[in-house]
Amino acid sequence: MAEKTFQKLWITFLKDLKLSFNGIYFYIEVGMAVIFTLVMVFVVPENFDSSQTFHVVLDAEPAYQSFLRNLFESEDLGQIQFHDDRHALHQAMEADRSSVGVVLSMDAQGLQYNLVLQGYESPRMRTLLKTLIEGELLSQTPGWSGTTDTRVLEPDSERLTDRAHVLPIYLTVNVGLMGLFIIAAYIFLDKDEGVIKAFAVAPVHIWQYLASKLCIMLIIGLGSSLLVVFALVGRQAHYGLLLGATVAFNLFGSTLGLFIASFFDTMVKAMGALYLAVMVLMIASVSYFMPSFNPLWIRIFPSYPMLFSFRELLLSNGNAWYVLQNIGFFLILSGVLFGLSVHRFKRSITV
Amino acid sequence: MIEKESSRGTEKKGENMISVENLSHYYTQNQVFAVKNVSFQVEKGEIFGFLGPSGAGKSTTQGVLTGLLPLQQGRVRVAGHDLSHPKRTMFNKIGVSFEQSNVYGKLTARENLDFYAKLFDVPTMKTMDLLEMVGLDKVADKKAGTFSKGMKHRLTFVRSMINKPEMWFLDEPTTGLDPAIGSQIKDIIRQENEKGATVFLTTHNMQVADELCDRVAFIIDGEIKLIDSPRNLKLQFGQQMVVVDHLVQGQRKTEQFSLIMDEDKTRLNQLIQTGQIQMMHTKEATLEEIFIKVTGRGLE
Ligand SMILES: Nc1ncnc2c1ncn2[C@@H]1O[C@H](COP(=O)(O)OP(=O)(O)OP(=O)(O)O)[C@@H](O)[C@H]1O
Ligand SMILES: [Mg+2]
């Protein structure tokens, strides 16, 4: 009996797979994955700021100066220009609006540094510069006591390359949330064609119909997530966790899409609600780009755990427990949403 | 009530395949009752016609009987299942053909049927046999989306018999088909009925109903006005007419005479005695004429 049940699900799934290869959504999703990968690989540098010019003023005793100079030059910081005083540095920076500057000075307390910025730099960028200077330069410098007032926004010593840093956003949107629209579109397509009625008068269950759609979304989600992650970070990601997170978050997106779709009878009518849901769900991405902004209320939006789970599994020493917890949580949530959707669709799908 | 020879001879007569008591159904969208307090029974082995003009509530009734629409009021039993507690397995015994064809346009005719067949737990008919029955065997591997309306309709029709249903629901099975194919479909329905299928046939084509149905129900504005066999209806309501072709000054003229109205009878008598009659035959009233008489409304 159970065997027959899954056999029918499998048959329905194969049919849906064939249909999705014949339809447009599959190619949209694959196309997005390919375009994203190509843009990231060929247009976006590994780190956005690597071609930046570094303007430096060394305000210290001559003996010390040459030491610092050597230190700067030995680090791979892109282009470095030394200036005699702050005024010259400002002028140089005005000429090149994408450059950044640093003034190092030696006084009674020891070595001090001042970052000179253009003003548009993101908090992320500022943190990056601080880490760079403190971590890689000054820590090697005698006389550095580490007393500079530094607010560390991301306590992890490890950070993602800028390319990899965008990945969680892509994964959350494309693997998790795009499913809302696509699965709803699939359902309404079947409704439009009327085939759902034929299905409804066969000895199959509505959950089999819906589960088959979930499987299609899973295939698309897994395919595009694995493809993009492998192309961009290679073996660096934790693929076990990636698989789990993709499945859990993708199911969440799909079941939420089903649930919302169950309240409407055409795609046009459902569109507004779906769009609103995605927007609300994505609010937490603000926090992803501004790590210091993470009040409790923002962490309850599903995109928060989604984004940060994807982030953790891209780090080589990420917090696996955090990811696993979220996988579990989202699987349970998906189960509940699926149950509710089946319940609702049972009465409404053929009406 | 119905005497018919068929393979179902062993089954006891009078057993109901469909039993509907006080069924009402309304659409929430417009708060209007599409079906009002309808009751009827369909016996096993019968072809039961549900006749009425557009918007009468035929498809709505079929929708409730096939579980596509929720049962809101009344009691309905179909093929031994109480529709207030429907079981999915009952669809192994049921076949449903739809007014609007609904096949996967992106699958071929063959794929459509192959997929559907696998959803059943009972033996199913061979895909190619089915396609051949309705002349679609040559386009078996063409996508159904490229089919004409009539072809899609035929595909929807044969799909509904794939599980050799005991209870077969047909919503407008011949509408929109050319007469040759229409009569092919009628033959198939007759054959399946002879093999034992009970048929619930919805139509506004009186001729189809007349030819196929053991009994018909006239439905108008969601209410059943009358249920009887076409033959009884004709005996009860139909006037016998005599059609006469005769020559008037070398020109042929066709006239109809009622055998009930005195005026017509006198006129016919005269004609027989003095006229030049070429041909004369009696004609039954059509079911359509009876429908109009009973309900005061046409069928279109
Ligand atoms: N989905 C729906 N929503 C709202 N009203 C509906 C719906 N379907 C049918 N109706 C209304 O219910 C009534 C009965 O419609 P139904 O389709 O059952 O008629 P029908 O007898 O099958 O007509 P036809 O011969 O045109 O197929 C009509 O007044 C129709 O407007
Ligand atoms: Mg109808």
Side-chain angles (χ1 to χ4, degrees):
Chain A
M1 197 60 223
E3 195 184 315
K4 192 88 191 167
T5 299
F6 284 99
Q7 198 186 324
K8 286 183 190 176
L9 175 58
W10 176 244
I11 285 155
T12 308
F13 167 72
L14 290 182
K15 180 264 305 170
D16 278 336
L17 197 63
K18 200 179 274 176
L19 286 177
S20 66
F21 283 142
N22 276 314
I24 185 151
Y25 298 108
F26 178 80
Y27 297 98
I28 290 180
E29 198 64 3
V30 172
M32 296 235 307
V34 171
I35 290 170
F36 176 78
T37 309
L38 291 180
V39 167
M40 291 312 277
V41 171
F42 292 108
V43 182
V44 177
E46 187 91 22
N47 279 305
F48 293 129
D49 51 320
S50 63
S51 62
Q52 227 163 20
T53 308
F54 235 100
H55 296 283
V56 183
V57 173
L58 299 173
D59 186 11
E61 295 156 26
Y64 217 74
Q65 253 193 36
S66 64
F67 169 76
L68 288 172
R69 196 181 270 258
N70 282 339
L71 199 61
F72 263 101
E73 279 168 347
S74 68
E75 284 291 329
D76 182 22
L77 292 175
Q79 278 190 299
I80 297 166
Q81 276 182 27
F82 293 98
H83 301 277
D84 293 336
D85 55 25
R86 231 184 151 107
H87 183 69
L89 178 127
H90 284 188
Q91 273 187 332
M93 280 182 68
E94 270 165 36
D96 176 7
R97 280 287 178 194
S98 70
S99 60
V100 290
V102 62
V103 178
L104 282 171
S105 56
M106 197 70 187
D107 63 14
Q109 273 119 49
L111 196 61
Q112 301 272 332
Y113 77 90
N114 270 307
L115 283 177
V116 185
L117 302 172
Q118 299 281 0
Y120 63 78
E121 288 85 353
S122 63
R124 227 209 105 64
M125 181 70 202
R126 293 173 199 205
T127 323
L128 176 71
L129 287 169
K130 279 183 188 165
T131 331
L132 204 68
I133 289 165
E134 291 172 12
E136 298 183 15
L137 290 174
L138 301 181
S139 59
Q140 300 174 35
T141 312
W144 171 251
S145 56
T147 54
T148 320
D149 170 36
T150 306
R151 184 148 167 250
V152 181
L153 299 177
E154 290 170 88
D156 304 298
S157 55
E158 195 190 355
R159 61 175 208 96
L160 294 172
T161 63
D162 285 313
R163 218 183 250 168
H165 187 68
V166 185
L167 256 181
I169 297 281
Y170 167 84
L171 291 171
T172 302
V173 172
N174 250 30
V175 174
L177 302 178
M178 273 301 280
L180 256 80
F181 288 102
I182 299 182
I183 200 162
Y186 277 143
I187 302 276
F188 290 120
L189 220 62
D190 283 357
K191 255 190 166 177
D192 250 16
E193 223 171 8
V195 288
I196 222 161
K197 287 190 178 170
F199 198 90
V201 294
V204 279
H205 296 271
I206 193 76
W207 73 259
Q208 288 166 320
Y209 169 81
L210 297 174
S212 160
K213 299 278 187 250
L214 291 185
C215 294
I216 295 296
M217 300 309 301
L218 259 186
I219 294 283
I220 298 178
L222 280 172
S224 52
S225 118
L226 293 179
L227 173 87
V228 171
V229 172
F230 191 76
L232 292 185
V233 302
R235 257 171 295 164
Q236 191 197 310
H238 195 305
Y239 281 93
L241 290 176
L242 177 67
L243 211 68
T246 302
V247 169
F249 301 161
N250 184 276
L251 281 176
F252 167 73
S254 302
T255 50
L256 184 64
L258 283 183
F259 184 65
I260 293 173
S262 75
F263 287 88
F264 300 92
D265 53 8
T266 65
M267 187 68 193
V268 176
K269 287 187 201 160
M271 206 64 192
L274 291 168
Y275 193 73
L276 189 74
V278 170
M279 288 298 117
V280 169
L281 288 175
M282 277 312 288
I283 284 178
S285 58
V286 176
S287 195
Y288 185 75
F289 284 114
M290 290 197 281
S292 62
F293 179 69
N294 61 353
L296 187 62
W297 64 265
I298 213 164
R299 291 187 230 173
I300 62 169
F301 288 97
S303 54
Y304 190 92
M306 283 161 116
L307 283 165
F308 284 91
S309 296
F310 279 128
R311 182 177 174 278
E312 289 302 319
L313 62 85
L314 290 172
L315 294 168
S316 56
N317 60 351
N319 185 346
W321 178 233
Y322 175 77
V323 182
L324 283 172
Q325 268 177 315
N326 281 317
I327 291 175
F329 174 71
F330 277 84
L331 283 178
I332 292 169
L333 201 59
S334 307
V336 171
L337 282 171
F338 186 65
L340 289 173
S341 307
V342 170
H343 182 72
R344 286 196 52 83
F345 271 122
K346 249 187 204 162
R347 336 172 143 220
S348 67
I349 203 152
T350 55
V351 173
Chain B
M1 187 166 22
I2 308 138
E3 296 305 325
K4 191 157 63 171
E5 307 251 23
S6 78
S7 57
R8 76 202 149 87
T10 50
E11 287 147 12
K12 62 175 187 280
K13 297 255 163 146
E15 197 184 325
N16 285 333
M17 206 53 179
I18 296 178
S19 144
V20 176
E21 281 168 46
N22 309 108
L23 170 69
S24 294
H25 190 92
Y26 64 90
Y27 287 99
T28 40
Q29 290 98 317
N30 48 15
Q31 295 288 330
V32 171
F33 274 91
V35 173
K36 298 168 207 157
N37 202 28
V38 158
S39 301
F40 62 90
Q41 267 83 42
V42 178
E43 279 180 36
K44 204 162 192 164
E46 194 177 7
I47 301 184
F48 186 84
F50 219 54
L51 307 188
S54 208
K58 305 183 296 291
S59 298
T60 304
T61 306
Q62 174 168 322
V64 176
L65 298 192
T66 54
L68 290 174
L69 295 172
L71 177 59
Q72 296 163 341
Q73 282 175 36
R75 286 168 48 85
V76 177
R77 287 183 70 82
V78 174
H81 291 264
D82 185 343
L83 285 202
S84 53
H85 305 101
K87 277 216 195 81
R88 300 302 307 170
T89 49
M90 86 172 191
F91 291 102
N92 281 316
K93 294 197 227 165
I94 291 176
V96 184
S97 183
F98 297 86
E99 185 176 12
Q100 265 118 23
S101 45
N102 52 1
V103 292
Y104 290 102
K106 296 206 173 100
L107 298 183
T108 66
R110 188 200 299 271
E111 287 167 340
N112 262 292
L113 295 186
D114 282 346
F115 161 67
Y116 206 65
K118 287 181 195 139
L119 299 179
F120 291 88
D121 312 302
V122 292
T124 50
M125 293 176 74
K126 288 208 184 76
T127 297
M128 281 317 286
D129 291 351
L130 287 169
L131 290 175
E132 224 165 281
M133 282 168 101
V134 289
L136 290 175
D137 46 325
K138 299 215 172 51
V139 289
D141 295 310
K142 284 228 169 75
K143 293 221 165 113
T146 66
F147 284 8
S148 72
K149 238 178 166 179
M151 289 159 90
K152 283 185 200 160
H153 198 83
R154 281 180 270 160
L155 187 56
T156 305
F157 172 78
V158 282
R159 186 185 59 196
S160 74
M161 58 189 290
I162 207 162
N163 57 325
K164 304 173 193 164
E166 277 173 47
M167 183 63 238
W168 197 11
F169 289 93
L170 300 170
D171 198 346
E172 308 279 3
T174 55
T175 306
L177 299 178
D178 71 59
I181 293 166
S183 83
Q184 242 174 298
I185 299 267
K186 276 185 272 183
D187 288 342
I188 296 170
I189 297 172
R190 227 177 261 123
Q191 278 165 26
E192 288 304 303
N193 176 246
E194 268 154 29
K195 286 188 216 155
T198 307
V199 181
F200 181 90
L201 185 140
T202 284
T203 185
H204 56 245
N205 184 330
M206 283 294 164
Q207 214 190 322
V208 172
D210 199 357
E211 285 174 45
L212 287 176
C213 296
D214 298 307
R215 282 191 309 148
V216 293
F218 287 174
I219 179 168
I220 268 206
D221 295 336
E223 291 174 284
I224 291 184
K225 299 290 181 190
L226 162 162
I227 302 178
D228 212 333
S229 68
R231 190 185 137 75
N232 279 349
L233 286 172
K234 282 174 192 165
L235 286 177
Q236 202 179 336
F237 295 96
Q239 295 183 328
Q240 288 281 331
M241 305 285 280
V242 176
V243 183
V244 183
D245 283 357
H246 60 112
L247 288 176
V248 180
Q249 289 154 2
Q251 294 272 2
R252 205 175 77 180
K253 200 175 164 197
T254 306
E255 280 186 87
Q256 288 195 28
F257 302 94
S258 161
L259 292 180
I260 295 167
M261 290 160 77
D262 287 338
E263 198 186 318
D264 279 23
K265 282 203 275 191
T266 319
R267 184 75 191 91
L268 181 62
N269 240 328
Q270 277 179 358
L271 203 61
I272 294 169
Q273 275 157 26
T274 62
Q276 283 184 275
I277 294 172
Q278 288 194 310
M279 211 163 73
M280 194 163 110
H281 57 97
T282 56
K283 177 177 156 270
E284 293 180 315
T286 63
L287 209 49
E288 176 139 19
E289 285 158 353
I290 296 168
F291 187 93
I292 294 168
K293 207 167 191 173
V294 171
T295 64
R297 292 254 295 268
L299 274 165
E300 293 307 322

